[in-house]
Amino acid sequence: MANETATQLGNAAGKVADVLTGARTDKSGLMSAMIEYMGARNGTGRRILHERARNEGLEPTVRQWEAAPSPAPTQADVVTKLLPADVIDHFSRQTGLSHAATIAGLADLLPHLSRLDG
């Protein structure tokens, strides 16, 4: 019970911090981190994304993003299927965003950054 309460308080504090810092709307740091992670055509991040897409049955989704001139944002569960948890955690630490804000930002950015022309 105490552990659950602590988790809820931590989540609430993260949401407050996101609002106070504008984390829900400022994605520039996250975009820079994601661009670095994805790399060039054969970059490690891009290869991992495609490998995870194949394993999760999301390859058609990623191909659609790559072909669309302006792909729509995706869902949080798609982000967590395509990006390893340690990568998402690294982005969160690197940008100072909460875990939830990082995933929300990635849901907006990932479809665009899967394209080689960004």
Side-chain angles (χ1 to χ4, degrees), residues 18 26 31 59:
D18 290 343
D26 182 8
M31 181 181 291
E59 213 168 12

Side-chain angles (χ1 to χ4, degrees), residues 3-23:
N3 193 19
E4 182 179 325
T5 301
T7 299
Q8 290 173 345
L9 287 173
N11 289 341
K15 287 178 184 178
V16 170
D18 290 343
V19 170
L20 292 176
T21 62

Side-chain angles (χ1 to χ4, degrees), residues 25-45:
T25 55
D26 182 8
K27 298 180 183 80
S28 59
L30 184 56
M31 181 181 291
S32 296
M34 191 59 187
I35 288 170
E36 183 180 328
Y37 172 75
M38 292 295 278
R41 181 175 301 274
N42 293 316
T44 302

